[in-house]
Amino acid sequence: MARQLKARSTERDQVEKELHRLQNYLSNIIDSMPSMLIGVDINGNITQWNKKVSQVTGITSKEAIGLPFTTAIPRLADRIDMVNEAIKTQQSCVVPRSLTREDTENIYEDITIYPLIANGIEGAVIRVDDVTDKVRMEEMIIQSEKMVSVGGLAAGMAHEINNPLAGMMQTAQVMRSRLENRLMNANLVAAKTIGISIEDISAYMEHRGIFEMMDAITESGIRIAEIIKNMLNFVRKSDTTVSSHNPVQLMEKILKLAATDYDLKKQYDFKSIKIIKEYDDNPPMICCEGAKIQQVMLNLLRNGAQAMFEYKDHENFIPQFTLRLAHEYDRNMLRIEVQDNGPGIDKKIQNRIFDPFFTTKPVGIGTGLGLSVSYFIITENHQGTMKVVSQPGKGSNFIICLPLQ
């Protein structure tokens, strides 16, 4: 009898060890999965909590087991009705690309709820997969395709605008010639035919400022043509050639292009911003990819302008950019500064501001790629440096240094 009891005890110990080993094995499998896996019973209390959930929430499995689902993971609390429905209907439920916002960052997750029946115990398993990188990559591809389309549209629009613009400017010049030139035979004959002197016509035009108006038409046409030219140079596919550029001239081209930035809905106009230029006398020529530096500067100017616009309700606030060009002789670098007097950036955001896809703008407004791409252009393509110096309420200063050799 004693032998039988001992044998049974040994057998039971072996079964318990094997069961414990299998439980650990299963637990390790669950913990090694990259997805968050949460088990709940029919009452919505936590029964399973894998390692990934602990990493995301900061709550250990021991602390989470037994807690209500809505308490353990509040950001998914609004999904409890779906969990109950899945348990009731015994049908899986999928929520693709669920959006949550954490610390100014958008997080996209695929949520799948599986009903569970095991040995008469009802419940559900919630699987959560972070698909943020995938969504952002798709957005980047779509944005790239959109920009290619915009470039093609811009070229077509420029062609359509240039033709009537050339006709308008030429007509204005011909009109001035016919009204002002007192020696042109055709003008003299026409004036004599209608019984008026060419001198009287010219005097009337001068007195009424007609010639000045024609000059304004011509000057406006020239400005439109220059804007179109700058826009085409910017959107045209870059051949990534490095050439020598005068930094002052490059900055002026960028400012002319930025001056066309206008948001009708927000009544925001870049031309309303005060520009202060603090340039060294005769700064050195810089070897760079002009189009890419334009892209960086335009992004900084646009971001700063938008930030200042949102800050405009402060008393006596006048939006202002201070642009600086300086030769750093000790490092043989050209320093470019773009400083605004907007709301500034807190330290926490500064630490991540150049990270890909990081944005503080509302959903659908920013991609979070502008500054990261700019940083890559400066540091990788031009072996330079780029940093931001800022304090909340005291504006921001982006500092770029480019090597002169």
Side-chain angles (χ1 to χ4, degrees):
M1 188 72 173
R3 288 181 179 180
Q4 289 179 344
L5 289 174
K6 186 175 181 181
R8 288 178 182 177
S9 176
T10 302
E11 184 179 351
R12 186 177 64 248
D13 288 344
Q14 290 175 345
V15 170
E16 287 177 353
K17 285 181 180 179
E18 180 64 15
L19 181 61
H20 185 66
R21 187 188 70 81
L22 290 174
Q23 286 177 334
N24 286 338
Y25 181 66
L26 180 60
S27 179
N28 287 335
I29 290 175
I30 293 173
D31 281 340
S32 66
M33 293 187 69
S35 308
M36 291 195 294
L37 290 179
I38 306 165
V40 295
D41 60 22
I42 195 169
N43 296 315
N45 296 322
I46 301 297
T47 59
Q48 180 67 45
W49 188 267
N50 78 340
K51 189 175 181 180
K52 182 64 176 180
V53 193
S54 296
Q55 292 173 349
V56 172
T57 63
I59 300 174
T60 65
S61 176
K62 187 176 180 180
E63 295 169 333
I65 298 298
L67 288 177
F69 177 76
T70 53
T71 302
I73 187 160
R75 66 188 183 88
L76 295 179
D78 58 343
R79 305 297 178 186
I80 189 63
D81 290 339
M82 297 175 65
V83 173
N84 292 332
E85 184 67 18
I87 296 173
K88 180 180 178 181
T89 62
Q90 290 299 298
Q91 291 184 343
S92 299
C93 179
V94 179
V95 183
R97 300 189 180 189
S98 174
L99 174 63
T100 56
R101 193 164 177 85
E102 293 184 359
D103 297 329
T104 71
E105 187 173 4
N106 295 328
I107 305 297
Y108 294 90
E109 295 171 326
D110 285 347
I111 302 174
T112 308
I113 303 169
Y114 302 97
L116 179 66
I117 297 180
N119 299 322
I121 300 174
E122 294 185 69
V125 175
I126 301 98
R127 172 180 169 179
V128 183
D129 294 294
D130 189 337
V131 293
T132 305
D133 290 343
K134 178 183 176 183
V135 172
R136 287 171 174 171
M137 188 60 66
E138 290 173 356
E139 288 177 349
M140 185 168 63
I141 292 171
I142 292 170
Q143 185 69 13
S144 297
E145 292 175 349
K146 190 186 298 183
M147 291 306 296
V148 170
S149 298
V150 168
L153 288 171
M157 288 174 61
H159 178 72
E160 293 298 323
I161 293 171
N162 273 333
N163 287 338
L165 180 63
M168 180 189 76
M169 294 172 64
Q170 185 177 9
T171 300
Q173 292 172 356
V174 171
M175 286 174 62
R176 177 164 190 141
S177 177
R178 292 188 178 186
L179 292 170
E180 185 182 36
N181 193 333
R182 303 181 185 184
L183 300 178
M184 185 181 293
N185 186 58
N187 289 353
L188 295 172
V189 171
K192 184 177 181 181
T193 301
I194 61 175
I196 190 172
S197 71
I198 192 70
E199 288 79 8
D200 289 341
I201 294 175
S202 295
Y204 172 79
M205 295 295 171
E206 290 177 1
H207 184 74
R208 294 292 293 156
I210 303 299
F211 293 137
E212 293 178 3
M213 294 179 188
M214 291 180 180
D215 289 340
I217 292 173
T218 301
E219 290 172 4
S220 296
I222 292 172
R223 183 169 178 272
I224 293 171
E226 185 67 22
I227 290 171
I228 293 171
K229 180 182 175 182
N230 287 338
M231 181 182 68
L232 283 175
N233 287 338
F234 181 68
V235 301
R236 201 169 280 138
K237 185 180 287 188
S238 172
D239 56 4
T240 66
T241 56
V242 175
S243 57
S244 183
H245 291 270
N246 183 310
V248 174
Q249 293 177 359
L250 192 62
M251 204 65 123
E252 291 305 308
K253 286 182 180 180
I254 293 164
L255 286 174
K256 285 181 181 179
L257 199 56
T260 63
D261 192 14
Y262 180 79
D263 191 319
L264 183 63
K265 185 176 181 181
K266 295 182 178 179
Q267 296 182 344
Y268 147 72
D269 188 354
F270 187 91
K271 291 191 287 293
S272 65
I273 300 173
K274 182 179 180 181
I275 306 292
I276 297 176
K277 302 173 185 177
E278 298 179 358
Y279 300 163
D280 278 1
D281 293 334
N282 300 316
M285 299 289 283
I286 184 74
C287 287
C288 63
E289 296 177 44
K292 288 187 177 179
I293 298 300
Q294 274 190 339
Q295 180 181 346
V296 172
M297 299 303 294
L298 281 171
N299 188 57
L300 294 179
L301 291 170
R302 186 177 179 83
N303 284 351
Q306 290 175 347
M308 288 189 288
F309 170 79
E310 294 169 0
Y311 199 59
K312 67 181 177 61
D313 293 333
H314 284 65
E315 187 176 356
N316 300 322
F317 178 72
I318 299 174
Q320 173 182 299
F321 274 122
T322 301
L323 307 179
R324 301 184 182 93
L325 291 174
H327 185 183
E328 290 194 355
Y329 291 93
D330 55 337
R331 297 196 297 163
N332 196 30
M333 301 185 88
L334 178 73
R335 188 175 74 249
I336 305 171
E337 297 185 22
V338 179
Q339 182 175 358
D340 64 60
N341 63 340
I345 307 168
D346 65 41
K347 191 67 177 177
K348 187 175 181 180
I349 293 177
Q350 286 183 49
N351 292 335
R352 300 194 59 196
I353 200 166
F354 297 119
D355 290 352
F357 302 111
F358 178 78
T359 179
T360 59
K361 296 176 182 177
V363 177
I365 302 299
T367 62
L369 289 171
L371 285 175
S372 63
V373 170
S374 298
Y375 186 82
F376 182 86
I377 288 172
I378 296 300
T379 59
E380 298 296 327
N381 292 354
H382 292 85
Q383 288 73 53
T385 62
M386 183 175 181
K387 66 178 182 179
V388 60
V389 177
S390 181
Q391 291 183 29
K394 295 186 178 180
S396 303
N397 188 20
F398 284 85
I399 303 172
I400 295 170
C401 290
L402 297 173
L404 293 174
Q405 292 181 345

